[in-house]
Amino acid sequence: MPHDPEQPSLFDLTSPAPAGPVLAGDVVIREVRCKSLLNRGRIDDYSFNAYVGCAHACGYCYARFMQRFHPHTEAWGRFVDVKINAVEVLARQLRKLPAGRVFTCSACDGWQPLEQRYRLTRECCRLLLDAGFDIHVLTKSRLVLRDLDLFAGRAVRLGVTITTPDERWARLWEPGAASVAGRLDILRQAKAAGLETTVMFGPLLPGISDTDEAIGQLFGWAAELGVDRIWTDILNPRPRVWPGVQAVLKAHAPELYEPTRQMLFEAPARRAYQRKLNERIHHAAERAGVANRMG
Ligand code: SF4
């Protein structure tokens, strides 16, 4: 598949693979070896991540906690470790584990730009499908379209995450990810390929994408595209999330800083916010006729 001009390429794809740490754009790339790949999951039976770090660099990313276990001097979004032995490690693990559903990916986007070179997520998905496992994809990258040939006719749910219908906000919060229109097109093409499709609307961003208008727009799209399963998420004060959120708000929406801080860290404000947002989500899903598809 040719490089999608919508998404940044971190490498000249005709050049040899890097031997040591390299700087691609402003992202430091390291090739590392892992001891195990497939983990027991919270969302599905298992999950795997062929990369540590994610060049999509989303301001609210929950996977920032990974830096506790894999310390890097670079900020989140500015490093990616590539588990170059991911496929052989997975093949070894698959000899011992019972089949189940695998969520990919839980702590990175498996189709971030480096995947175009390394193809680790693709090859791991191939191994899993051949071994009788189901796959649940969640991505913000159009590179996943490269793998429709592998997924078609197999036990694959293909989903995208959309946090806001506004392209301008999406670019500010998710600088390395595909445009909103590009993600909707992933759903369209996945559906046309006969796959079960899912969407995660979230985290919905306070004052930005938690309005009736924005939520109505998102659910309208889900209805129009015939998405099979819909999830929503409220911004959570998970470890290390607040610094990234603060940085975006201070630079682009300082008036939202204080209400967002209160919603995240003051229990009564958070409870009231959650209640109202859940009502708004429920009504939007009803209006769009997709309430029965809520996950
Ligand atoms: S795409 Fe997902 S894993 Fe990657 S930075 Fe964004 S939220 Fe984090």
Side-chain angles (χ1 to χ4, degrees):
M1 176 182 170
H3 174 65
D4 187 338
E6 228 192 21
Q7 298 234 109
S9 172
L10 288 179
F11 284 109
D12 164 6
L13 297 173
T14 58
S15 68
V22 294
L23 193 63
D26 52 2
V27 179
V28 177
I29 313 298
R30 296 179 182 87
E31 292 185 348
V32 299
R33 298 182 73 77
C34 62
K35 290 191 176 131
S36 78
L37 191 81
L38 200 61
N39 301 308
R40 286 284 173 190
R42 279 187 304 177
I43 297 173
D44 289 302
D45 303 317
Y46 303 98
S47 68
F48 81 88
N49 298 280
Y51 306 94
V52 178
C54 185
H56 287 176
C58 303
Y60 52 76
C61 179
Y62 298 161
R64 288 164 183 257
F65 75 91
M66 291 298 291
Q67 281 188 282
R68 237 181 88 202
F69 309 106
H70 302 274
H72 288 76
T73 51
E74 302 86 21
W76 183 256
R78 297 286 172 259
F79 68 88
V80 181
D81 292 352
V82 180
K83 300 177 187 174
I84 50 164
N85 61 338
V87 179
E88 67 187 71
V89 170
L90 178 62
R92 200 183 60 227
Q93 284 186 280
L94 288 182
R95 282 184 223 127
K96 299 178 197 150
L97 291 171
R101 176 174 285 155
V102 182
F103 181 66
T104 181
C105 298
S106 57
C108 70
D109 194 314
W111 286 267
Q112 60 178 299
L114 276 176
E115 167 65 11
Q116 195 166 10
R117 165 188 285 281
Y118 285 94
R119 301 170 71 88
L120 294 172
T121 304
R122 178 183 170 93
E123 290 312 312
C124 289
C125 285
R126 183 199 300 282
L127 274 186
L128 287 163
L129 290 169
D130 288 350
F133 286 68
D134 295 6
I135 292 179
H136 181 186
V137 170
L138 197 61
T139 184
K140 296 183 187 125
S141 171
R142 286 175 57 77
L143 182 56
V144 75
L145 294 172
R146 173 199 66 185
D147 298 337
L148 285 187
D149 64 332
L150 175 65
F151 295 158
R154 315 287 289 271
V156 177
R157 274 181 167 183
L158 202 159
V160 301
T161 303
I162 301 177
T163 48
T164 168
D166 185 316
E167 295 282 8
R168 201 175 38 97
W169 277 119
R171 186 54 55 216
L172 294 172
W173 283 99
E174 303 152 339
S179 66
V180 178
R183 290 179 233 178
L184 294 172
D185 186 54
I186 294 172
L187 293 173
R188 203 172 285 119
Q189 292 201 43
K191 193 85 188 165
L195 296 179
E196 183 181 348
T197 55
T198 71
V199 69
M200 163 61 80
F201 291 137
L204 294 167
L205 301 162
I208 295 170
S209 58
D210 63 350
T211 61
D212 281 329
E213 190 190 357
I215 297 171
Q217 173 86 77
L218 294 171
F219 277 90
W221 285 336
E224 190 185 317
L225 293 169
V227 172
D228 297 295
R229 189 84 9 218
I230 304 163
W231 285 275
T232 58
D233 186 29
I234 291 177
L235 186 64
N236 281 293
R238 299 220 181 132
R240 301 183 186 233
V241 165
W242 182 229
V245 170
Q246 270 190 79
V248 178
L249 292 180
K250 283 185 175 169
H252 303 289
E255 71 284 3
L256 296 177
Y257 174 88
E258 187 51 24
T260 304
R261 189 197 62 74
Q262 286 177 16
M263 185 285 278
L264 283 174
F265 300 109
E266 293 181 11
R270 183 160 180 79
R271 275 197 298 276
Y273 178 85
Q274 275 180 323
R275 194 178 56 249
K276 280 192 198 146
L277 184 52
N278 284 339
E279 281 169 16
R280 223 175 266 165
I281 288 168
H282 177 74
H283 290 139
E286 291 276 338
R287 275 198 306 275
V290 295
N292 61 341
R293 300 187 215 160
M294 297 294 287

